[in-house]
Amino acid sequence: MLISDLEQIVIKLVEEGVFGDVSYLDLETDETAKGAQFSSDLSFVTLIVEDSGKKEIPLVIKLPYANPKVRESRNLDAIFHNEVVMYKEILPTLGVRNFYPQMFYGVATNGAEPDKDILILENLKYKNFLLPKTRVFLDIDHIRVAIKKIAEFHSFSFIHKYEDKESFHRMTKRFRDIVLPPEIEHEYDVINAACIERGIKPLLKDNVSVDLLTNCLSFLKYPNKTRELIAFPEEPFGVICHGDYCNNNILYKFDENDKPIDCVFIDFQFSRYGSVAIDIFFFLYLNTDAEVREKYWDEILKLYWDTLRKCVPNRISIPSFEKFLEHFAERVIYGYTIASFFLPTMMEDEPYDGNKPEVKPLTMEERLEKALSTGGEEAERKLIDIVLHLLDKDYIRPYIEFCKNKKIES
């Protein structure tokens, strides 16, 4: 959408009082702000209004992709709906105000009138919340801040379930399922399964835990199916999850020594009702390297659960740390299945985006070839490191038993 079209929308919203008792003066493109989205289009602007003097309101405006074929192939209408519902209904109901940017306006029509779909948020850059300087792997200071914050975020679900269980479950039903067309889901399964093999096959060639890894691969032939079972919100571990909790969706505040002291979340497009484990292993396997995992893994998990216990009032019972570790161990491989697809892309200087109109569509064979070469040998090494970590922590066996208990076919 052109800035002139956005301006007309913003002028109308100013007149309707969306931004308070102010008068419209101008809308300027913010050339200093930037961000990447794979499910929507972003515009960074500064709204200038009259409010007992000139006042600037930095904004992020999100719109769904205009291309209807792209929206349909990835069910982007449902994704956009879920994010608007999070900002408009679920986050305010949970009471987690200091975890996300203010929403000024949001509409999601579920594909009925996509031209009306829009989400207008404050730009937190101007409150000194910034993306970390590293694109992928974080140091332990960033990780501790992010893990404590997601534990605090999850605590609101435990509290709300205890205080009003019916209301909580009504709220979780506001999410729409992200159902893809069968042919698209099949393509994702084929590509993701190949990516999963990328970190495992080299170990099989070196005769590392051959029986265990071969058995594991047999349960990962259909990643979407197994992922949904892993993410299923089995009580008492069901919470509202961010769903896409990784480096590029977390903004940090820093002290005078450039050390992170707080963070907030953005981009709730994949939020859902699911296991507490989702946000943890998603974040850790996408944003830690082998050295950090070796030194701090157990500490990080303990920090998560201690923070959760501290934030949930003592009158409310939550599972023990030992029960959490059992639950986590059965599902942690989910983090690898996601990382096998996204981590190599994140390691690229300019990630490929096949949804851009100027990009020539790839054949299935070309997409497979690209997926398996993205990030080169360094990315493959990082995936192998994750599999070695899964083996070292003995996470593969609990996952296989979980699949058998859930009657997932190998």
Side-chain angles (χ1 to χ4, degrees), residues 55-198:
K55 177 182 176 182
E56 295 185 351
I57 306 175
L59 301 174
V60 180
I61 300 180
K62 302 182 75 167
L63 301 168
Y65 279 137
N67 189 324
K69 290 184 178 180
V70 174
R71 290 205 316 274
E72 182 181 358
S73 67
R74 294 171 55 193
N75 206 345
L76 296 184
D77 292 325
I79 290 173
F80 199 83
H81 163 89
N82 287 348
E83 180 162 34
V84 171
V85 162
M86 277 291 284
Y87 277 111
K88 256 181 133 169
E89 302 176 30
I90 295 177
L91 293 172
T93 300
L94 286 175
V96 292
R97 180 62 197 97
N98 295 323
F99 287 73
Y100 61 98
Q102 177 185 353
M103 186 196 79
F104 290 102
Y105 186 75
V107 172
T109 64
N110 296 317
E113 296 181 88
D115 290 345
K116 293 185 177 180
D117 290 356
I118 191 170
L119 183 59
I120 303 180
L121 308 166
E122 66 174 327
N123 187 344
L124 286 173
K125 171 185 174 181
Y126 296 92
K127 290 185 177 179
N128 295 317
F129 281 97
L130 306 169
L131 287 168
K133 294 178 180 178
T134 55
R135 286 190 65 247
V136 187
F137 303 113
L138 300 173
D139 62 31
I140 189 60
D141 290 332
H142 286 80
I143 293 164
R144 285 176 178 142
V145 169
I147 282 294
K148 290 175 69 175
K149 197 75 171 187
I150 198 65
E152 187 179 354
F153 179 75
H154 289 168
S155 74
F156 286 90
S157 289
F158 282 94
I159 294 169
H160 201 95
K161 277 193 294 185
Y162 175 83
E163 294 180 342
D164 194 340
K165 192 172 183 179
E166 289 186 7
S167 169
F168 179 79
H169 285 292
R170 280 198 305 271
M171 181 169 56
T172 65
K173 295 183 187 304
R174 293 290 292 123
F175 292 115
R176 294 191 69 195
D177 292 333
I178 313 300
V179 179
L180 302 178
E183 66 279 8
I184 300 297
E185 183 168 347
H186 173 70
E187 289 180 5
Y188 280 158
D189 259 345
V190 171
I191 292 172
N192 201 183
C195 292
I196 289 167
E197 291 180 349
R198 190 178 179 187

Side-chain angles (χ1 to χ4, degrees), residues 251-264:
L251 302 177
Y252 292 87
K253 180 169 279 190
F254 299 87
D255 65 13
E256 64 276 6
N257 298 314
D258 210 25
K259 183 176 180 178
I261 55 175
D262 193 11
C263 70
V264 293

Side-chain angles (χ1 to χ4, degrees), residues 290-342:
E291 181 181 357
V292 167
R293 290 193 293 270
E294 183 179 356
K295 286 184 178 180
Y296 300 109
W297 186 265
D298 293 341
E299 174 198 319
I300 293 166
L301 296 184
K302 188 67 164 59
L303 177 61
Y304 169 84
W305 205 251
D306 285 349
T307 305
L308 181 69
R309 178 66 277 181
K310 179 181 177 181
C311 292
V312 177
N314 288 332
R315 71 180 185 278
I316 301 175
S317 175
I318 65 173
S320 67
F321 180 55
E322 291 70 28
K323 289 292 185 184
F324 161 69
L325 291 180
E326 291 175 11
H327 178 88
F328 184 82
E330 292 175 337
R331 294 160 173 80
V332 66
I333 200 169
Y334 172 105
Y336 169 68
T337 67
I338 297 292
S340 69
F341 187 84
F342 285 109

Side-chain angles (χ1 to χ4, degrees), residues 2 37 40 52 59 133 136 144 161 180 235 270 292 300 305 307 316 319 335-336 345 348 361 374 379 381 385 387 407:
L2 298 175
Q37 282 285 298
S40 56
S52 302
L59 301 174
K133 294 178 180 178
V136 187
R144 285 176 178 142
K161 277 193 294 185
L180 302 178
E235 294 300 347
F270 296 99
V292 167
I300 293 166
W305 205 251
T307 305
I316 301 175
Y336 169 68
T345 300
E348 295 262 287
T374 298
R381 181 68 247 175
D385 285 342
V387 178
K407 294 182 170 49

